[in-house]
Amino acid sequence: MLVTGFPAGMFQTNCYILAQDDASECVIVDPGQDAADPLIDFLTRSALTPTAVLLTHGHLDHTWSVEPICEKYGIAAYIAPEDRYMLSDPVKGTGPALAAVLGDTEFREPAEVIELTDNQQLELAGIEFTVVYTPGHTQGSVVFLTRADGPDRAVPLALTGDTLFAGSIGRSDLPGGDHDQLLRSIASRLLPLGDDTVVLPGHGGQSSIGQERGSNPFLVGLTAPEQGKL
């Protein structure tokens, strides 16, 4: 499987592209600010056609380019219903500080928006995804779980958005954020994953569940449910 990505815009948000080997279709995850042009260029050069855009949450730095990308390719955007309002009114999700950055820029939903549900199974571009609700950074934050076939075995992947980073966790001081809820989400939904699960976060470099369990300072004392409670 092809799994690639690039940081885009002033927020350096990771936009990911996933496709099966030798396939002509792909899935896009979190096309942020200034992601459209390099994304379209990559898809054209790679002869890939996207079938869907998956959104880990509704913050503008992850959704800025979703409407033009969906319009260009005639595809749907998938987002949790709790964060859907931010597609057309991003300031509500980030507070007034963002208004100065946006200026007169207007945003609207893509023509087709599909609302996600917890534990939902998706098959898009021949790739199977599991939707895992992880509220705390926002109330509609989700993680997408999938597997990439390697030469020796399938490698589990977790596209964690702004729930979990390499060495850090998402902020919880924006509207809809809840620090304790975020820690509970990580403890109950992410720490039970295998140590070899590759973490592909919304910002920064990749990591693994095992590495974060052992070295992430925000997770000290945080355990999976079967090991006890925070």
Side-chain angles (χ1 to χ4, degrees):
M1 182 191 292
L2 166 72
V3 182
T4 189
F6 59 92
M10 72 176 79
F11 306 102
Q12 290 292 279
T13 302
N14 291 329
C15 175
Y16 293 101
I17 304 100
L18 295 88
Q20 296 284 23
D21 289 343
D22 301 322
S24 60
E25 296 181 331
C26 68
V27 175
I28 298 166
V29 180
D30 287 355
Q33 185 197 29
D34 294 336
D37 287 345
L39 181 55
I40 292 169
D41 180 64
F42 175 82
L43 296 174
T44 301
R45 288 186 289 105
S46 303
L48 288 171
T49 301
T51 63
V53 175
L54 301 181
L55 300 172
T56 59
H57 62 291
H59 281 160
L60 185 60
D61 58 324
H62 292 251
T63 67
W64 193 299
S65 300
V66 63
E67 194 276 333
I69 290 296
C70 287
E71 181 179 17
K72 177 176 177 60
Y73 293 101
I75 57 178
Y78 291 70
I79 191 169
E82 293 85 351
D83 279 14
R84 182 173 178 171
Y85 70 95
M86 289 187 245
L87 293 176
S88 58
D89 195 353
V91 173
K92 275 189 178 179
T94 52
L98 184 63
V101 176
L102 299 183
D104 296 329
T105 306
E106 295 184 359
F107 294 88
R108 61 181 184 269
E109 282 193 356
E112 183 179 9
V113 177
I114 297 175
E115 295 185 350
L116 299 167
T117 58
D118 191 22
N119 295 316
Q120 183 178 5
Q121 303 295 312
L122 301 172
E123 185 169 344
L124 302 165
I127 304 170
E128 294 182 354
F129 296 90
T130 300
V131 180
V132 176
Y133 263 44
T134 56
H137 176 63
T138 67
Q139 288 305 296
S141 288
V142 302
V143 169
F144 297 105
L145 303 180
T146 188
R147 302 180 78 84
D149 292 329
D152 303 316
R153 61 184 180 85
V155 178
L157 307 176
L159 294 129
T160 59
D162 287 1
T163 294
L164 180 65
F165 304 122
S168 189
I169 62 173
R171 62 188 295 181
S172 53
D173 59 331
L174 296 174
D178 184 319
H179 182 72
D180 290 340
Q181 186 183 39
L182 176 60
L183 291 177
R184 289 195 300 270
S185 290
I186 294 171
S188 64
R189 310 310 302 274
L190 298 185
L191 289 187
L193 300 174
D195 283 353
D196 61 339
T197 302
V198 176
V199 173
L200 300 175
H203 303 269
Q206 73 180 51
S207 184
S208 70
I209 291 295
Q211 182 173 338
E212 296 312 302
R213 191 197 315 278
S215 63
N216 190 317
F218 293 91
L219 306 187
V220 173
L222 191 65
T223 57
E226 65 272 16
Q227 298 170 307
K229 295 183 178 180
L230 179 65

